[in-house]
């Protein structure tokens, strides 16, 4: 019995490298496009009262106010220009209530290809992710100087 287990172990030791080599050759290699992290997220906002749509840039970890909403992107990804674009961003949206309190109404991922999937649906304002950029015409928060200096 001991001789059979040695033979089985030796057979296993011999066939494992062959099996691994064959799986590496025969299995299709999965290729994922690298995510590009961007410093600027581009949003669109709809004011349902006036019917106006506005597009605005927001730097990552900065907050921009759109109506009664405060939009703060935490990360914004896209793909290389040679790949199909999949733009996604992790976003926090707060509402400033009538009694001046801030209430979180959205935290999660937004996908530019599916704006209705995780868009912020507010009674007066809608906000959704449109894209990501490496730079913006809007000066970066660190580039602005406080008044009086």
């Amino acid at each position: 019995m001991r001789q059979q287990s040695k033979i089985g172990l030796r057979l296993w030791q011999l066939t494992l490298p062959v099996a691994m080599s064959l799986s590496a050759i025969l299995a299709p290699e999965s290729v994922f496009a690298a995510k590009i992290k961007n410093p600027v997220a581009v949003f669109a906002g709809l004011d349902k009262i006036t019917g106006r749509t506005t597009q605005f840039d927001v730097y990552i970890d900065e907050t921009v106010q759109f109506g009664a909403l405060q939009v703060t992107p935490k990360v914004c990804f896209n793909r290389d220009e040679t790949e199909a674009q999949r733009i996604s961003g992790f976003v926090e949206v707060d509402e400033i209530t009538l009694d001046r309190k801030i209430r979180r109404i959205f935290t999660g991922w937004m996908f530019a290809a599916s704006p209705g999937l995780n868009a912020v649906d507010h009674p007066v304002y809608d906000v959704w992710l449109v894209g990501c950029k490496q730079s913006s015409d809007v000066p970066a928060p660190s580039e602005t100087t406080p008044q009086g200096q």
Side-chain angles (χ1 to χ4, degrees):
M1 186 71 169
R2 189 170 172 91
Q3 184 66 19
Q4 285 179 340
S5 64
K6 282 185 180 179
I7 293 171
L9 178 61
R10 184 67 184 145
L11 187 60
W12 174 253
Q13 289 173 338
L14 291 173
T15 57
L16 183 61
V18 173
M20 291 179 70
S21 298
L22 282 175
S23 68
I25 292 169
L26 299 176
E29 187 176 322
S30 53
V31 178
F32 295 103
K35 291 180 182 178
I36 299 171
K37 200 171 185 180
N38 295 279
V40 180
V42 182
F43 292 93
L46 169 66
D47 181 332
K48 295 177 184 177
I49 303 297
T50 64
R52 282 201 171 145
T53 303
T54 305
Q55 191 164 321
F56 52 96
D57 297 349
V58 186
Y59 285 88
I60 300 302
D61 289 323
E62 296 297 325
T63 302
V64 167
Q65 188 159 340
F66 175 72
L69 303 181
Q70 293 181 334
V71 181
T72 308
K74 295 299 184 179
V75 69
C76 195
F77 294 118
N78 66 348
R79 304 290 190 274
D80 186 274
E81 295 171 359
T82 61
E83 300 290 331
Q85 286 299 307
R86 288 185 181 158
I87 299 167
S88 59
F90 192 83
V91 184
E92 296 176 347
V93 180
D94 297 323
E95 176 188 30
I96 302 172
T97 62
L98 293 175
D99 55 352
R100 298 185 188 265
K101 292 184 179 167
I102 296 176
R103 180 175 61 110
R104 175 77 33 95
I105 61 171
F106 180 83
T107 301
W109 288 95
M110 289 186 176
F111 305 96
S114 303
L117 183 63
N118 283 347
V120 175
D121 189 22
H122 181 267
V124 179
Y125 304 102
D126 286 349
V127 175
W128 62 96
L129 181 68
V130 174
C132 301
K133 316 197 272 193
Q134 287 294 318
S135 63
S136 175
D137 295 336
V138 177
S142 58
E143 295 174 13
T144 59
T145 55
Q147 299 240 345
Q149 290 187 357

